[in-house]
Amino acid sequence: MTHHGSAPDPSATSDAPAATTVEPLLVHPRTIRKAITGTAVGNFMEWFGFGIYGYLAVTMTTVFTSGVERSAGLLITLFGFAVSFVVRPIGGLILGPLGDRIGRKSVLFLTMALMAIATTLIGVLPTSQQIGLWAIVPLYLLRLVQGFSTGGEYAGATTYVSEFSPDKKRGFYSAWLDVGSYIGFAAGAGVVGLVTVIVNHLSGPDAMLDYGWRIPFLSALPLGAAAIYFRMRIPETPVFEEESDELDAELSVAAADDPMARHGVLGIIRHHWRPILVCMALVSATQCAAYALTSYMPTYLEVS
């Protein structure tokens, strides 16, 4: 018969390891707000460039594919929007682990600089009237740079905010990244609309084709400088500062069959491929609807 009130046998627990208590990392709320602001501003800038391209698709069809049948030219231009998505996973796979080694802050600074430079350079590209259909090649290359940057940006920013956030508010704080993204998209559309009204009033109905399309892209330079300024002021995450010295050692001794151990990319895919596929399906569903509304719909309404 078991007596629940009896004292435990000391000999039964004498060889058990002592329990360790992991102290939570405490971060001042002001520091958290500063970190979220810096990352959300960066996300704003990343999607600002995508918003400009999406809302200028019809105009850029004439600028970069003159001489090509209109529907074919529009597909060529929209393919420039699509190619950026091809390299987004590559950006995450390369820049994500790089952030584990050199710090989230450094990688977020890099992604911000890449996006600002690529978006600005689109604004100075030669047109098809100047160099023929070769004009589409540097446009695609810069779109690839934008996509690579965005892939590393969102992966790095999500990790950055998650490492700063308390457990009970991690989802809430991370959601502000999407807020920054959609505000950036809307701002890109707003800038395109404002520039269209102003240049058409000043220079006539062909002004956007002549030079006006460049202005929204060139506006990425001062906006990018401001975003980089905010990025330079954000602190490194306390989790990275605490664990970076142990990263190489942990990776070298990680148990291959332990799903909760620290793994590289292949190890993560091996142990967590099911949740990865679920996340891919969820993101695909939401983003297909989002881009249909924010990018395809303006083009459809303009050409219909």
Side-chain angles (χ1 to χ4, degrees):
M1 181 176 178
T2 303
H3 299 279
H4 294 286
S6 59
D9 182 3
S11 62
T13 59
S14 58
D15 297 329
T20 58
T21 301
V22 178
E23 294 293 335
L25 292 173
L26 300 178
V27 182
H28 195 279
R30 182 180 300 174
T31 304
I32 297 177
R33 289 194 296 269
K34 185 177 181 180
I36 294 173
T37 301
T39 49
V41 166
N43 270 37
F44 169 95
M45 185 59 212
E46 294 278 345
W47 270 263
F48 176 80
F50 277 81
I52 292 173
Y53 192 94
Y55 279 82
L56 280 176
V58 176
T59 300
M60 296 184 71
T61 297
T62 304
V63 171
F64 286 93
T65 64
S66 59
V68 178
E69 195 271 327
R70 182 177 175 83
S71 60
L74 185 58
L75 288 176
I76 292 173
T77 304
L78 291 177
F79 184 73
F81 194 86
V83 293
S84 63
F85 289 86
V86 176
V87 294
R88 277 196 190 184
I90 300 174
L93 289 172
I94 293 177
L95 297 179
L98 183 63
D100 291 338
R101 297 186 176 278
I102 68 173
R104 319 291 182 205
K105 179 179 177 179
S106 299
V107 169
L108 291 176
F109 176 85
L110 173 63
T111 59
M112 189 70 269
L114 285 174
M115 176 57 86
I117 292 171
T119 304
T120 302
L121 288 178
I122 290 178
V124 299
L125 289 178
T127 67
S128 58
Q129 291 184 341
Q130 295 172 310
I131 62 172
L133 286 179
W134 286 106
I136 206 70
V137 176
L139 177 63
Y140 281 1
L141 291 176
L142 290 174
R143 291 293 298 164
L144 289 172
V145 173
Q146 286 182 316
F148 181 84
S149 167
T150 302
E153 164 72 24
Y154 207 84
T158 303
T159 304
Y160 181 89
V161 173
S162 297
E163 290 183 348
F164 257 112
S165 305
D167 291 344
K168 293 183 179 181
K169 293 187 176 181
R170 185 164 292 131
F172 172 76
Y173 286 141
S174 298
W176 283 100
L177 299 177
D178 260 353
V179 173
S181 300
Y182 283 105
I183 292 177
F185 229 114
V191 168
V192 170
L194 181 63
V195 169
T196 300
V197 171
I198 293 175
V199 299
N200 285 350
H201 176 74
L202 295 176
S203 305
D206 293 330
M208 284 300 290
L209 295 175
D210 293 338
Y211 68 90
W213 67 272
R214 299 181 184 274
I215 297 174
F217 290 106
L218 295 175
S219 69
L221 185 60
L223 289 176
I228 288 174
Y229 169 77
F230 278 102
R231 281 283 163 92
M232 292 177 65
R233 292 170 57 85
I234 62 175
E236 188 55 83
T237 68
V239 174
F240 174 80
E241 292 179 339
E242 184 178 83
E243 296 183 356
S244 59
D245 293 337
E246 304 171 4
L247 175 62
D248 291 332
E250 288 189 17
L251 284 174
S252 63
V253 301
D257 295 325
D258 182 6
M260 302 308 295
R262 188 188 294 271
H263 293 280
V265 174
L266 295 179
I268 292 173
I269 295 174
R270 176 191 173 195
H271 289 291
H272 305 288
W273 62 271
R274 286 186 181 86
I276 289 174
L277 290 178
V278 170
C279 289
M280 289 175 63
L282 291 172
V283 171
S284 297
T286 57
Q287 295 304 303
C288 282
Y291 282 105
L293 177 64
T294 58
S295 298
Y296 173 73
M297 189 59 68
T299 301
Y300 174 79
L301 293 175
E302 190 169 348
V303 300
S304 61

